[in-house]
Amino acid sequence: MGKTRKIKRTTIFWKISWITTGFIMLLFVISPLIALISTSFKPTEEQLISPPTIFPVNPTLENYVSALNEPAFIRYLINSFAITVSTTVLAIIIATFATFSFTRLKFPGNRIFLVVVVLGQVIPLSAIAVPLYQNATALGVIDFLPALVVVYLALVLPVAVWMLRSYMANVPKEIEEAALS
């Protein structure tokens, strides 16, 4: 009887510990978002005061109105949406084909090529930012949105291939065979 009560206390302690740790981590992750949203409702004067306030004293929609009245803002929003959708769709398509070849087809250098693709993620973005900019300038594609999609694809594909690899490896070959017949 006493041992059961001790186990229950230990279990309850660990549950409370996990919930508390999760809550602290959630606060840590979500606090920049709260600060961002809070600052967006502050007038300019209130954004610059020291010490800063967490919540706006005089909330206003002035920042949103001025952003939406800026003609270039809508263009930037459309560009961001187009680049995001294009990169995502192309990354899923290309990564699916690449992952299929890595998991289902056996060819010389299969493992080595997969390791090379994943090692592309080891290179920090800050190390390749300047060379990417210089190459884009030399090619004359600085203000060319498809060039940005290509750069984003190069940065995203290793992660997409790695993530899809474990999924595709667990899909039964029977499903593939049924689709082919």
Side-chain angles (χ1 to χ4, degrees):
M1 184 76 176
K3 189 170 185 158
T4 306
R5 183 176 287 171
K6 185 176 182 183
I7 291 173
K8 284 185 179 181
R9 280 189 201 153
T10 305
T11 305
I12 290 171
F13 170 77
W14 282 111
K15 284 183 181 179
I16 291 172
S17 297
W18 278 109
I19 290 170
T20 305
T21 304
F23 185 71
I24 291 170
M25 290 174 67
L26 177 68
L27 286 177
F28 183 74
V29 169
I30 207 166
S31 61
L33 183 62
I34 292 170
L36 178 82
I37 293 169
S38 172
T39 304
S40 74
F41 287 106
K42 292 179 183 178
T44 307
E45 304 79 35
E46 193 175 336
Q47 292 174 11
L48 301 174
I49 63 170
S50 181
T53 58
I54 295 175
F55 298 106
V57 177
N58 301 316
T60 180
L61 294 174
E62 172 187 325
N63 297 324
Y64 290 100
V65 170
S66 66
L68 291 173
N69 285 335
E70 182 70 34
F73 179 77
I74 301 299
R75 182 79 233 152
Y76 299 153
L77 208 56
I78 292 169
N79 287 350
S80 296
F81 182 76
I83 290 169
T84 303
V85 170
S86 302
T87 303
T88 304
V89 168
L90 287 171
I92 290 171
I93 292 169
I94 295 169
T96 301
F97 286 123
T99 304
F100 179 81
S101 66
F102 285 134
T103 56
R104 297 289 195 238
L105 307 176
K106 301 301 173 207
F107 56 89
N110 184 350
R111 291 270 191 214
I112 294 170
F113 193 67
L114 181 62
V115 168
V116 168
V117 167
V118 173
L119 282 178
Q121 284 303 111
V122 175
I123 302 168
L125 182 59
S126 57
I128 61 174
V130 172
L132 278 173
Y133 180 78
Q134 290 172 337
N135 288 339
T137 303
L139 294 171
V141 293
I142 286 293
D143 289 330
F144 191 56
L145 294 183
L148 194 55
V149 171
V150 170
V151 170
Y152 286 163
L153 272 175
L155 298 173
V156 167
L157 275 175
V159 174
V161 168
W162 187 252
M163 288 175 62
L164 282 173
R165 186 185 154 280
S166 60
Y167 170 76
M168 186 114 22
N170 290 322
V171 173
K173 291 189 178 182
E174 292 79 21
I175 293 177
E176 178 185 334
E177 292 166 359
L180 292 174
S181 60

